[in-house]
Amino acid sequence: MTDTVSDTTQELAGPPELEGLGKYRYGWADSDTAGSSARRGLSEEVVRDISAKKSEPGWMLQLRLKALKLFARKPMPNWGSDLTGIDFDNIKYFVRSTEKQATSWDELPADIKNTYDRLGIPEAEKQRLIAGVAAQYESEVVYHQIREDLEEKGVIFVDTDTGLREHEELFKEYFGTVIPVGDNKFASLNTAVWSGGSFIYVPPGVHVDIPLQAYFRINTENMGQFERTLIIADEGSYVHYVEGCTAPIYQSDSLHSAVVEIVVKKNARVRYTTIQNWSNNVYNLVTKRATAAEGATMEWIDGNIGSKVTMKYPAVYLMGEHAKGETLSIAMAGEGQHQDAGAKMVHAAPHTASSIVSKSIARGGGRTSYRGLIQVLEGAHHSASTVRCDALLVDTISRSDTYPYNDIREDDVVMGHEATVSKVSDDQLFYLMSRGMAEDEAMAMIVRGFIEPVARELPMEYALELNRLIELQMEGAVG
Amino acid sequence: MPTLEIRDLHVTVDEADGGTKEILRGVDLTIGSGEVHAVMGPNGSGKSTLAYSIAGHPKYTVTGGSITLDGEDVLAMSVDERARAGLFLAMQYPVEVPGVTVSNFLRTAKTAIDGEAPKLRTWVKDVKQAMDDLKMDPTFAERNVNEHFSGGEKKRHEILQMELLKPKFAVLDETDSGLDVDALKIVSEGVNRSLASTGPGVLLITHYTRILRYIKPQFVHVFVDGRVAEQGGPELADSLEETGYDRFLTRA
Ligand SMILES: Nc1ncnc2c1ncn2[C@@H]1O[C@H](COP(=O)(O)OP(=O)(O)OP(=O)(O)O)[C@@H](O)[C@H]1O
Ligand SMILES: [Mg+2]
């Protein structure tokens, strides 16, 4: 394994022409030794091979094969974004980066350590802001650590492959129950070829008081990343899971199709925070769904900054009385990007409440869409739902749309919907610039202010990173 | 002595129907540092246009004349360059910046103007002191810029910025409008503190002589129909109070 760094890095180290989204902040790539052996294209043989390499139980193989059949049969979504650029035959569905899992930082291969150094993981750890880091490198988790007191409390926080191996009964009980194998084409695909992701179980009454974090990267050209996350928060427990993505630039298109299933039991609360910052060639098609039982609370905090296309609508099924669902999302789209994001709330029990706040920013001809569905089933009386979506257009060539859908089968409900589309005004820019700020700095300040209601919910280091990303993007947005 | 010189300034705006309209029609003004110049004139005569043109608002097109600061061509500078060169505008209608706190805004502005971040300890103290002097509640530091501020609070916030950013020349566009009697005094004292400490040149746009009892101008300019119709000393303001602008309008 060599330590050569790709041309991308040299380009970035050159003139400081980081024109926002055009070039990527973490735009380096490690030597591509791990991916070279992976095959392209999808077949039963590939699926069997993945399962065999992981020495999985028979039921998982059967599920994968069933999913593969459903994937082939299901149509591509004909709404949302243009997905015709995805070439399923030209994707590697399984890549193994290291043969065995490393158990400590020191055991990580040099080039992987190098990558994570640049992502700042050791610093984050030093600051004790994270409880354990499950760092997903390519398709398998290679680094894993969990704080001892969590283990003592019975909290399970492992990569999903380990979860299946070591906690098979628990795993089997919940896997695929929130998002069935045939839910949609991409959920089927994920079920067929999934690898990596996080498996979390929090026992009754246990509060995990620091966020659990995982970092993901795609590192092989044309490699799809199909991680699978399953979180079970038992009665009265609390956990905050944080997932951040960064990826290097590649010439050809990449696919990221994850599935996240969350079971929030009675009176439990789960917060799931994502900052998605894939490079601009990635199709990011993620299915995220949670069920919330009586008195339970599920919160999705979802930031979509990178990718070519994102289609992601985190959902909460409010199954028990007084369950609550909340989605806060930020989407930024620059040149060549389409962020089609939103939320879905299903009120299936009385006295359930949901709230959606969506903030999107489009610039440089980029496009943001809010797509939301509020469903109130018969019998879910005294339910309440509020939706607020605000779009900010930084220039006149960008675009923003709102697609709110409501399906209300109960009379006794309270619904609120507010949507605004605004432009950065000349007067705001002038005001800040007349106080000495350069145009891009002023623009970044306005944009940061716009997303502040969501950004303040992020863990500190993510909020800071988000601010830096916005500054970088605004450098290319003006002038 | 630093000087702001405005020579034969002509400014137009684009009208909604696609045409252009000349608002400033040959303005001449010279302001030395430490001097206070009051500008008075009827509604719509172009006073705010002059203020915005000095600061460089993109809505206004300069079609002739010059503005120089110590001989430097102000018209060639962008809005932010003008601010960094030492120009400041306290606006008649300050705009809201949602999600941006006053303290963040002030620190970012100070850093931009000075070219380096202010020393944290003294800066926090300075801000607190300045807010205290202007009788602004400390909670304003954590509120969003101008959002839900009352008219008078916005004006105090503008003078707060003037005190902290220490410009060479400040244009105050109707800073006194909408202030109650106590606030007028408090804000005037803020301007006077600036005059006493850093001694900027001040262009004070106002409709009322009341503020001139607190901030003493050396010069008064009567602004009518896009140009200075008459200038004089403080006594000119008092005569305007009695006679109004009629005699200038009929002459024009
Ligand atoms: N876009 C525009 N199209 C047409 N007329 C305009 C436009 N913008 C400004 N004006 C006109 O320019 C004139 C000068 O406006 P300005 O705001 O400078 O006046 P002012 O002296 O500050 O008045 P006031 O005392 O009421 O504040 C006004 O008659 C105004 O209607
Ligand atoms: Mg005016």
Side-chain angles (χ1 to χ4, degrees):
Chain A
M1 201 173 283
T2 56
D3 249 326
T4 52
V5 184
S6 82
D7 287 338
T8 324
T9 312
Q10 263 118 53
E11 266 169 44
L12 278 179
E17 53 194 4
L18 284 168
E19 38 172 298
L21 285 174
K23 296 230 173 86
Y24 189 73
R25 179 162 164 242
Y26 295 131
W28 71 90
D30 299 297
S31 55
D32 195 13
T33 48
S36 59
S37 63
R39 280 173 287 176
R40 289 173 199 279
L42 187 54
S43 64
E44 186 175 326
E45 196 197 338
V46 168
V47 172
R48 284 184 183 280
D49 188 48
I50 292 171
S51 192
K53 278 210 174 98
K54 294 170 182 290
S55 316
E56 287 178 348
W59 67 268
M60 182 52 78
L61 173 63
Q62 291 315 313
L63 193 63
R64 285 181 184 275
L65 292 173
K66 182 175 165 195
L68 180 68
K69 286 207 181 78
L70 286 166
F71 168 68
R73 227 186 293 146
K74 294 238 161 216
M76 288 288 275
N78 58 0
W79 45 276
S81 275
D82 179 10
L83 302 179
T84 51
I86 302 174
D87 179 1
F88 289 107
D89 296 330
N90 202 24
I91 287 170
K92 295 173 187 170
Y93 289 87
F94 181 62
V95 180
R96 192 178 277 253
S97 66
T98 50
E99 281 311 304
K100 70 175 182 65
Q101 288 209 25
T103 50
S104 78
W105 179 255
D106 292 334
E107 288 174 44
L108 283 175
D111 62 343
I112 294 177
K113 257 203 289 213
N114 181 28
T115 299
Y116 286 134
D117 267 339
R118 297 199 208 182
L119 287 171
I121 289 179
E123 279 87 303
E125 240 202 308
K126 261 180 237 146
Q127 294 163 22
R128 285 250 151 240
L129 284 166
I130 47 176
V133 176
Q136 170 149 344
Y137 193 79
E138 301 187 359
S139 293
E140 268 189 302
V141 172
V142 292
Y143 175 65
H144 195 96
Q145 191 187 28
I146 202 165
R147 246 179 49 172
E148 277 174 8
D149 59 332
L150 286 182
E151 254 170 20
E152 274 166 28
K153 285 176 178 168
V155 176
I156 300 169
F157 175 32
V158 293
D159 69 273
T160 310
D161 295 282
T162 304
L164 172 58
R165 234 179 3 257
E166 294 179 1
H167 308 276
E168 191 182 337
E169 284 314 303
L170 190 63
F171 194 98
K172 196 175 174 184
E173 189 182 341
Y174 293 101
F175 186 90
T177 58
V178 183
I179 300 171
V181 51
D183 188 80
N184 66 74
K185 191 173 182 75
F186 289 95
S188 300
L189 177 63
N190 175 281
T191 307
V193 298
W194 73 268
S195 204
S198 294
F199 177 72
I200 296 172
Y201 172 76
V202 187
V206 171
H207 282 232
V208 182
D209 47 11
I210 30 180
L212 299 178
Q213 305 203 2
Y215 292 81
F216 300 89
R217 289 194 65 194
I218 291 179
N219 200 53
T220 303
E221 190 177 355
N222 274 5
M223 196 201 79
Q225 182 133 346
F226 304 96
E227 90 263 21
R228 179 91 186 197
T229 288
L230 177 57
I231 299 174
I232 302 136
D234 218 323
E235 295 191 1
S237 68
Y238 169 73
V239 66
H240 181 189
Y241 180 73
V242 183
E243 168 208 326
C245 308
T246 64
I249 294 169
Y250 286 108
Q251 293 95 352
S252 41
D253 291 338
S254 239
L255 175 62
H256 174 247
S257 186
V259 165
V260 177
E261 293 182 284
I262 301 181
V263 178
V264 193
K265 296 202 170 180
K266 189 174 166 184
N267 295 327
R269 180 175 155 215
V270 173
R271 173 175 277 214
Y272 191 107
T273 299
T274 310
I275 293 292
Q276 172 275 111
N277 191 18
W278 299 112
S279 61
N280 291 357
N281 55 330
V282 173
Y283 287 87
N284 184 44
L285 312 168
V286 175
T287 309
K288 288 181 164 176
R289 192 176 301 160
T291 57
E294 186 187 330
T297 300
M298 175 65 212
E299 300 159 327
W300 294 107
I301 297 170
D302 207 55
N304 295 296
I305 288 131
S307 85
K308 173 183 186 142
V309 166
T310 287
M311 285 174 67
K312 186 176 5 159
Y313 324 96
V316 185
Y317 282 61
L318 302 157
M319 307 306 291
E321 285 200 39
H322 298 285
K324 278 200 195 99
E326 190 175 324
T327 300
L328 295 174
S329 69
I330 298 171
M332 295 187 73
E335 193 184 341
Q337 285 187 287
H338 184 187
Q339 305 282 10
D340 196 281
K344 180 174 168 181
M345 296 288 177
V346 179
H347 294 256
H351 300 285
T352 47
S354 67
S355 137
I356 297 168
V357 177
S358 156
K359 298 263 179 184
S360 70
I361 299 134
R363 60 157 203 89
R367 185 176 167 200
T368 59
S369 312
Y370 166 79
R371 197 179 298 277
L373 172 63
I374 307 291
Q375 251 181 324
V376 180
L377 306 186
E378 220 178 289
H381 52 84
H382 295 94
S383 290
S385 157
T386 62
V387 178
R388 163 156 205 114
C389 37
D390 299 319
L392 183 69
L393 299 172
V394 169
D395 51 41
T396 50
I397 55 169
S398 302
R399 174 175 167 190
S400 171
D401 307 284
T402 308
Y403 305 100
Y405 303 98
N406 292 318
D407 178 9
I408 315 297
R409 312 260 165 123
E410 180 64 50
D411 292 327
D412 199 0
V413 295
V414 181
M415 306 277 297
H417 181 96
E418 256 184 280
T420 64
V421 179
S422 50
K423 290 211 169 74
V424 172
S425 80
D426 278 354
D427 285 331
Q428 274 182 336
L429 265 185
F430 171 74
Y431 189 58
L432 297 183
M433 289 175 72
S434 78
R435 283 4 179 196
M437 292 170 224
E439 190 174 358
D440 52 2
E441 198 182 356
M443 191 73 92
M445 180 169 258
I446 291 165
V447 170
R448 281 200 309 259
F450 174 75
I451 60 163
E452 192 275 340
V454 176
R456 70 162 161 238
E457 295 296 326
L458 295 172
M460 179 70 95
E461 73 273 25
Y462 275 73
L464 292 175
E465 166 144 335
L466 189 63
N467 281 347
R468 283 199 300 272
L469 285 167
I470 289 168
E471 267 150 38
L472 269 179
Q473 299 200 0
M474 290 308 130
E475 278 175 29
V478 297
Chain B
M1 185 179 74
T3 311
L4 182 68
E5 256 190 80
I6 300 163
R7 285 284 157 269
D8 195 27
L9 190 70
H10 289 256
V11 170
T12 62
V13 292
D14 295 332
E15 288 176 300
D17 62 9
T20 58
K21 180 177 163 191
E22 183 164 65
I23 310 285
L24 298 189
R25 306 189 303 134
V27 177
D28 288 290
L29 262 181
T30 303
I31 306 167
S33 60
E35 295 176 358
V36 176
H37 293 244
V39 170
M40 305 182 80
N43 295 132
S45 56
K47 302 180 299 298
S48 292
T49 303
L50 175 64
Y52 279 128
S53 301
I54 295 170
H57 195 294
K59 181 180 147 187
Y60 301 93
T61 311
V62 176
T63 52
S66 66
I67 304 177
T68 55
L69 174 61
D70 291 334
E72 296 275 341
D73 183 4
V74 170
L75 295 177
M77 301 179 198
S78 61
V79 177
D80 51 316
E81 282 167 352
R82 294 180 200 204
R84 293 198 293 270
L87 294 177
F88 179 82
L89 169 61
M91 293 186 205
Q92 188 175 356
Y93 303 110
V95 297
E96 299 179 357
V97 192
V100 177
T101 61
V102 166
S103 78
N104 179 12
F105 168 73
L106 291 173
R107 190 175 7 89
T108 309
K110 185 66 177 171
T111 306
I113 298 275
D114 290 2
E116 58 176 1
K119 296 233 167 18
L120 200 61
R121 216 152 42 93
T122 52
W123 174 248
V124 171
K125 221 179 73 217
D126 290 351
V127 173
K128 209 180 154 300
Q129 181 66 49
M131 288 181 69
D132 218 45
D133 290 341
L134 288 164
K135 306 272 187 301
M136 288 178 79
D137 195 276
T139 54
F140 272 91
E142 293 316 311
R143 284 180 59 176
N144 293 337
V145 174
N146 291 322
E147 210 176 35
H148 314 301
F149 284 23
S150 75
E153 288 164 352
K154 285 182 185 167
K155 298 302 176 69
R156 287 184 209 214
H157 179 229
E158 293 293 285
I159 299 307
L160 174 69
Q161 294 167 52
M162 176 184 174
E163 285 206 63
L164 291 167
L165 300 178
K166 305 190 192 312
K168 286 190 193 144
F169 287 91
V171 180
L172 310 183
D173 192 359
E174 294 199 29
T175 300
D176 54 339
S177 296
L179 292 181
D180 67 47
V181 276
D182 295 334
L184 179 69
K185 192 157 172 269
I186 290 161
V187 162
S188 300
E189 282 166 5
V191 175
N192 286 333
R193 267 194 306 277
S194 282
L195 281 166
S197 65
T198 48
V202 172
L203 187 70
L204 184 79
I205 297 171
T206 183
H207 286 297
Y208 310 104
T209 50
R210 219 172 38 157
I211 191 173
L212 304 182
R213 287 206 295 271
Y214 297 109
I215 306 171
K216 297 280 180 219
Q218 288 85 40
F219 307 92
V220 173
H221 309 265
V222 181
F223 207 81
V224 179
D225 207 12
R227 56 165 73 106
V228 176
E230 187 165 324
Q231 28 193 329
E235 71 289 345
L236 180 55
D238 297 323
S239 82
L240 283 175
E241 190 95 311
E242 285 152 31
T243 62
Y245 298 109
D246 269 2
R247 61 188 171 107
F248 302 104
L249 291 171
T250 45
R251 209 195 293 162

